[in-house]
Amino acid sequence: NEGEIGDGKRCYGNLAAEIRRLNTIGSHATKLTHALSMFDAGCELTLRIYGPFTVLVPPMSAALESKLAQKLCKLHIIPGAHLAADLARVKTLWTLDGESLEFGDKAFKYTSFPGDAYSIVLPNLPAANGIIHIINKARTAVGPTTERKEQPRDRKS
């Protein structure tokens, strides 16, 4: 099909399609439904058309309010396609929302919530426009935002 890639064994759709497929098979069947809702609320077009991205897909027990979901979906997407082994080597990456993530060998943390560790439970799932990693839990709080202030311009009199 158009927009799919293959590895000689099967074809892979875009990130949104592959997350939907993952929600229907294996040990994560139906556990990604609320994560799908989160991504649909604010990042669905991004996951369908653009990329490459690395998407951290969490199982979630409840749906999020729409505005919160729009913000949080961007905290689960990293520009570029990164395999799990690459994440630990790179150490620091930024989400689409501009928040930095610190990666170690076994876990990662959002720098705005350094006491809360996350882990990848199912790594390196391919999609046509990136890589999916199933993680152990969702980021459910929005941290402090950093706004870039425009630097004052020198005025010549």
Side-chain angles (χ1 to χ4, degrees), residues 25-137:
I25 61 170
S27 62
H28 287 88
T30 71
K31 294 178 183 174
L32 305 177
T33 301
H34 296 301
L36 281 165
S37 296
M38 175 184 70
F39 290 121
D40 285 346
C43 301
E44 196 267 338
L45 187 64
T46 300
L47 296 180
R48 271 193 316 110
I49 297 175
Y50 303 108
F53 295 114
T54 299
V55 183
L56 306 170
V57 181
M60 297 171 68
S61 58
L64 300 171
E65 182 271 322
S66 182
K67 291 268 188 206
L68 180 60
Q70 289 173 11
K71 176 82 171 164
L72 289 177
C73 74
K74 294 176 186 161
L75 291 171
H76 289 86
I77 302 174
I78 303 167
H82 303 280
L83 297 174
D86 298 334
L87 295 172
R89 275 195 297 273
V90 172
K91 299 289 185 205
T92 303
L93 290 169
W94 287 264
T95 67
L96 283 186
D97 199 42
E99 183 159 347
S100 62
L101 296 168
E102 299 290 329
F103 288 89
D105 290 334
K106 301 278 184 199
F108 67 94
K109 297 176 181 185
Y110 290 86
T111 54
S112 63
F113 290 93
D116 206 3
Y118 300 78
S119 61
I120 296 172
V121 295
L122 188 57
N124 308 330
L125 304 167
N129 57 337
I131 301 289
I132 298 166
H133 302 296
I134 306 292
I135 61 174
N136 64 323
K137 60 184 177 179

